[in-house]
Amino acid sequence: VAIVTAAGYPGEPSRFEGRLKGLVDAFKAQALPKEVRDRFHVMGGECNYLLRVNDDYRLEFVPAQEWHTDQMYDWRENKEVASFLDRAEEFLTSYAKHLGVEVDVLRKEYAVGVLPKSDTIYENLEEMALACQAELSDASIPFCAFNGGNDVFVDVGNKHIGLQALMRYLDIDGSQTLHVGDRFTLTGNDAKVREAASILWVASPDETTFFMRLLYRDILNARIL
């Protein structure tokens, strides 16, 4: 089981833990053995950070050399990443101004985004994401420009790349993988995963719980039969 998220906190595994505190605390409370913990990972920043649970039941980063693909080395060490993010930031801020949306800018190691300072219509976020995808379409660096629901972000890399790297690291293929997500539209950051594995499109945490219970039941039945 792996959680693949756009959230990225370079050098700060504790911030990932903060988002998953209930789950990590449950691992510790149940004293899960290493062979079980080794089957859980967190992929952050779309595809830029991989974490696992250590013997102290804390999240730790998996060293890059253990899971990075050759493709990822090609662009992660590329000096053009900063220039690409500069370009994305300039476009996002100028287009937000064009739409009359006042925004704050959040810049990260491999991402840049704009957050409206006040309520705005959903269509403005969609327009910014779509326009950004078109503007950056000639970029040599893989990216994901998406509407996060309350913001618009451009990330270096995407979940498709992250999922491929994760499957390679775990030695599994697409036929053994099911990606559960809620953003499979053109402006969603789950869309590209369709190219790597089967998908399950959900609309809420309750829906996710419902389908996971069905899956768990089927797994148990398969073992019995």
Side-chain angles (χ1 to χ4, degrees):
V1 175
I3 295 175
V4 184
T5 174
Y9 310 109
E12 298 182 276
S14 60
R15 295 192 65 183
F16 286 99
E17 285 181 16
R19 297 175 66 95
L20 304 169
K21 180 172 173 54
L23 189 58
V24 175
D25 286 350
F27 289 170
K28 184 175 183 179
Q30 296 186 39
L32 292 184
K34 186 177 186 304
E35 58 267 27
V36 176
R37 298 197 309 271
D38 285 348
R39 299 175 70 87
F40 176 80
H41 293 82
V42 177
M43 178 73 75
E46 310 287 4
C47 62
N48 289 300
Y49 314 101
L50 183 63
L51 299 95
R52 60 193 171 197
V53 182
N54 62 24
D55 292 339
D56 296 321
Y57 297 93
R58 303 292 302 274
L59 289 180
E60 65 179 15
F61 288 108
V62 179
Q65 62 271 21
E66 291 186 25
W67 67 278
H68 275 189
T69 63
D70 292 339
Q71 178 196 18
M72 296 175 77
Y73 277 116
D74 287 344
W75 54 263
R76 281 179 62 93
E77 305 301 328
N78 195 326
K79 294 181 180 179
E80 294 180 3
V81 167
S83 297
F84 168 78
L85 290 175
D86 288 342
R87 179 185 173 190
E89 180 178 338
E90 181 180 357
F91 181 80
L92 283 171
T93 53
S94 64
Y95 206 74
K97 183 177 180 180
H98 168 70
L99 294 175
V101 180
E102 293 188 14
V103 296
D104 289 320
V105 177
L106 180 59
R107 180 76 174 255
K108 298 186 177 183
E109 183 181 25
Y110 292 112
V112 62
V114 290
L115 298 80
K117 292 184 177 182
S118 58
D119 291 341
T120 187
I121 59 175
Y122 186 80
E123 287 74 15
N124 277 338
L125 301 178
E126 287 285 278
E127 177 65 20
M128 280 191 277
L130 287 169
C132 200
Q133 289 174 8
E135 171 67 20
L136 302 175
S137 61
D138 62 345
S140 60
I141 294 172
F143 71 94
C144 177
F146 66 98
N147 171 7
N150 297 302
D151 50 40
V152 177
F153 264 84
V154 176
D155 289 349
V156 174
N158 55 59
K159 287 186 178 181
H160 175 234
I161 294 172
L163 192 58
Q164 285 187 315
L166 186 59
M167 290 190 297
R168 177 175 174 270
Y169 174 66
L170 298 175
D171 193 27
I172 59 176
D173 58 37
S175 65
Q176 300 169 289
T177 304
L178 176 66
H179 178 83
V180 182
D182 62 354
R183 298 291 294 151
F184 287 101
T185 60
L186 288 177
T187 58
N189 64 340
D190 290 308
K192 286 187 175 294
V193 176
R194 294 176 183 271
E195 303 169 16
S198 298
I199 63 116
L200 175 61
W201 193 340
V202 296
S204 67
D206 287 341
E207 236 181 46
T208 303
T209 301
F210 171 78
F211 283 113
M212 290 303 99
R213 283 175 174 166
L214 286 183
L215 179 62
Y216 182 63
R217 184 195 66 187
D218 289 346
I219 291 173
L220 290 179
N221 288 339
R223 288 176 178 173
I224 293 172
L225 299 175

